Amino acid sequence: MELKREEYKISRCVCRGSAQAYSSGDIIVPDTKPDVIKVIQVDAASAIEDKQIRDNKITIAGKVNLKILYVPDKEDCKVCSINTSFDFSEDITCKNAAAGMYLTAMSNVSNADFSVVNSRKLRVRVSVTLDYDVTDMSGEYIACGAEDETAELMTDNIVINNIREICEHKFILQEKFELPIGQPPVSELLKCETQITDTEYKAINGRIIIKGMLVICALYLSEDGVPENAEIETPFTEVIDSENVTDNSECDIEYDIINVFCDTAEDSDGDIRVINAEAEARAQIKVMEKTEIGIIKDCYVPGMKTELQRETLSIEEIVASLSAQNTIKETVEISSGAPSVKSIYNIVMKPHLTKVETADGKVLCEGKTEAYILYLSDSGDSPVYSLKKEIPFAYTLEDDAVEAGLTAQMSAEIKHSGYTLNAAGEVELRCILALGARVTKKRDEQIVTEAEAIEEDGGERCGIVIYYIQNGDSLWDIAKHYAVARDKIAKYNELAENEALKQGEKLFIPN
């Protein structure tokens, strides 16, 4: 019995999880820099540079970029900076991973510890959290029909939200901006930070259009050695070609900054008031779309003995896609031991999910938003100061399709943040926290992969069998047991289409 088959690319998550990588080393103060009296801030940002898949193992490698601000042993200079980087690499056991599969990964610095060994040496240890996902997108031929027109088939159509493509798009964002009027020129650029916010996308046939905002914050020394800061927001749009994208596609997009380059230039008057910033960014994209698959759950050939081979088709069915935006507000008081705020240099807010679980009709999540505040003060001893504030959150996303025990993949992103310095010298933080959850249910379908029809011994059968219907019997079960076409039994017994069988009644089975 020859079966008709169609090829489908069915995506399966092979393994998903988190791991910790560590990077550490000693930082020697360059000869051109003065001695260290006190470290103000160690800012660490990670970037993945290489990903590899081998049998049952994945390797993720990258670097940690370190920007260190310190108070120097130099009277005419209030703040100095050191920029350097450390490498990291982590081997992770990932059962069933194999070459040819797709690996997506994001990194985030979870902790950065430092100690001052002496005035010319710092010791740093950084912990990097790696979130990874390995997907198998290999093609599979699935039986959906039979060449023999007399064959009886029990078929079904299942709908899955299938990953059609996984890709990366690297792009360069550049901005050239001049310091505001009245702000002093640049003597030395201490650090330049970039952040991607307010992202959105649109999928159309053959293309993905991504949009967002690049926020650039520069900290520099004026000619008097006083720390100053400047900030600019610049929008960006990127068009990504993809033949697998349609108007109905949904995309999961994660952004990270790989490298940042900043330098200064003269304005038209010959003053160093122009800052050139360039960020190398990356978007990791999963293109998803609902796919309908026709399967054979059972089959037989009337008048013949049919032997079947079956396999289990495991799929992840998306039962709900949820999203919500919530406003977070928090007032940060400056402690009595800290210098007062003259102006804010930069505020970075990073959300972290600590707990996600499903209940009937809802997804529950808990987490914290870490706010890193770097500000300029009037203090001669600490002209630049750093604060950290943890803001806890808990939210519930509701959908009737969600059941307890299902898996929820959740994301948290700061869409927009701002601050106000009030009259009491406190920093009033505000941000919009965007939450997204995709709730999935694992589903196993038994499908027919091979069918063989064999002539039964005893020659041609004749006569009628009288069968008494048992509890739970279906017309399919009875017809298959006696290898008789269903419509033949229905016609002989004058059964209406989809008529329920009643226990104890007689059913005539014609041969």
Side-chain angles (χ1 to χ4, degrees), residues 285-444:
I285 305 167
K286 288 184 179 179
V287 179
M288 296 171 292
E289 198 165 293
K290 285 184 171 61
T291 303
E292 186 175 278
I293 299 175
I295 62 172
I296 299 176
K297 303 184 75 170
D298 203 357
C299 67
Y300 67 94
V301 177
M304 304 184 78
K305 180 182 178 181
T306 307
E307 294 183 354
L308 304 177
Q309 293 183 24
R310 302 177 187 269
E311 287 183 1
T312 300
L313 179 65
S314 297
I315 59 175
E316 274 192 354
E317 180 184 7
I318 295 180
V319 299
S321 294
L322 313 176
S323 62
Q325 290 192 351
N326 299 276
T327 301
I328 294 177
K329 294 182 179 180
E330 186 78 6
T331 299
V332 180
E333 298 180 0
I334 307 302
S335 62
S336 57
S340 59
V341 181
K342 174 185 174 184
S343 64
I344 302 292
Y345 159 64
N346 187 28
I347 293 179
V348 177
M349 303 185 75
K350 298 179 180 180
H352 300 280
L353 292 164
T354 56
K355 182 179 179 181
V356 177
E357 63 180 26
T358 56
D360 289 340
K362 60 188 69 174
V363 177
L364 311 170
C365 74
E366 296 178 8
K368 61 182 179 180
T369 296
E370 294 178 345
Y372 298 88
I373 306 169
L374 189 65
Y375 66 89
L376 309 184
S377 75
D378 291 320
S379 169
D381 296 331
S382 301
V384 180
Y385 204 81
S386 178
L387 288 177
K388 178 183 176 182
K389 175 72 174 181
E390 291 188 354
I391 308 168
F393 63 80
Y395 295 109
T396 300
L397 285 72
E398 298 183 349
D399 192 294
D400 293 339
V402 179
E403 300 172 5
L406 297 184
T407 300
Q409 287 181 261
M410 196 149 196
S411 62
E413 179 186 359
I414 299 297
K415 282 291 186 184
H416 182 74
S417 63
Y419 62 88
T420 303
L421 188 61
N422 64 25
E426 301 167 332
V427 182
E428 297 177 354
L429 301 176
R430 59 190 180 276
C431 70
I432 296 175
L433 177 65
L435 298 169
R438 181 171 285 111
V439 183
T440 60
K441 176 167 60 177
K442 287 190 175 179
R443 176 176 163 188
D444 289 340

Side-chain angles (χ1 to χ4, degrees), residues 48-320:
I48 294 172
E49 296 183 317
D50 186 44
K51 306 187 295 286
Q52 295 183 10
I53 303 179
R54 304 187 299 277
D55 290 344
N56 299 315
K57 185 177 287 188
I58 62 175
T59 300
I60 302 173
K63 65 179 179 180
V64 176
N65 294 313
L66 295 158
K67 300 172 185 176
I68 300 164
L69 297 178
Y70 69 93
V71 177
D73 182 15
K74 188 177 180 182
E75 291 185 2
D76 59 346
C77 183
K78 298 183 181 295
V79 182
C80 279
S81 66
I82 301 172
N83 295 332
T84 188
S85 63
F86 291 157
D87 294 330
F88 69 83
S89 180
E90 187 70 17
D91 292 328
I92 304 167
T93 299
C94 190
K95 189 178 179 181
N96 299 322
M101 295 182 181
Y102 293 81
L103 169 60
T104 57
M106 294 293 291
S107 68
N108 181 58
V109 172
S110 52
N111 192 43
D113 293 323
F114 69 91
S115 60
V116 180
V117 179
N118 56 52
S119 62
R120 304 299 296 175
K121 182 193 289 187
L122 306 176
R123 185 159 292 155
V124 178
R125 177 178 169 83
V126 180
S127 175
V128 180
T129 300
L130 304 173
D131 296 314
Y132 59 87
D133 192 316
V134 177
T135 304
D136 181 8
M137 294 174 57
S138 56
E140 187 167 338
Y141 285 92
I142 295 177
C144 57
E147 298 291 349
D148 187 345
E149 294 182 356
T150 66
E152 293 282 311
L153 303 176
M154 180 187 288
T155 61
D156 194 9
N157 291 326
I158 58 175
V159 178
I160 61 174
N161 206 29
N162 206 36
I163 298 175
R164 300 196 61 185
E165 183 177 353
I166 297 176
C167 62
E168 283 188 2
H169 176 68
K170 292 182 180 179
F171 53 104
I172 302 294
L173 299 174
Q174 295 176 315
E175 183 62 28
K176 177 180 179 181
F177 65 97
E178 191 169 335
L179 298 177
I181 296 174
Q183 197 159 327
V186 178
S187 171
E188 180 185 349
L189 191 61
L190 295 173
K191 64 184 296 189
C192 191
E193 294 190 18
T194 59
Q195 185 180 6
I196 292 177
T197 63
D198 298 338
T199 58
E200 60 181 84
Y201 79 90
K202 183 177 183 180
I204 58 178
N205 286 329
R207 288 186 296 174
I208 305 169
I209 301 172
I210 59 175
K211 295 182 178 182
M213 190 73 69
L214 179 68
V215 181
I216 304 169
C217 297
L219 180 67
Y220 70 93
L221 292 179
S222 69
E223 293 173 346
D224 297 330
V226 177
E228 300 283 351
N229 65 290
E231 180 177 322
I232 188 172
E233 294 184 351
T234 179
F236 68 86
T237 299
E238 289 284 316
V239 179
I240 305 164
D241 293 327
S242 173
E243 62 182 13
N244 292 313
V245 175
T246 70
D247 292 345
N248 299 319
S249 296
E250 293 185 7
C251 298
D252 274 350
I253 306 176
E254 294 181 304
Y255 296 89
D256 62 340
I257 301 290
I258 303 171
N259 281 307
V260 177
F261 306 96
C262 286
D263 61 15
T264 57
E266 295 180 350
D267 63 8
S268 58
D269 296 327
D271 296 323
I272 302 177
R273 300 179 52 80
V274 177
I275 296 177
N276 299 311
E278 179 179 292
E280 182 184 1
R282 170 172 49 205
Q284 293 188 92
I285 305 167
K286 288 184 179 179
V287 179
M288 296 171 292
E289 198 165 293
K290 285 184 171 61
T291 303
E292 186 175 278
I293 299 175
I295 62 172
I296 299 176
K297 303 184 75 170
D298 203 357
C299 67
Y300 67 94
V301 177
M304 304 184 78
K305 180 182 178 181
T306 307
E307 294 183 354
L308 304 177
Q309 293 183 24
R310 302 177 187 269
E311 287 183 1
T312 300
L313 179 65
S314 297
I315 59 175
E316 274 192 354
E317 180 184 7
I318 295 180
V319 299

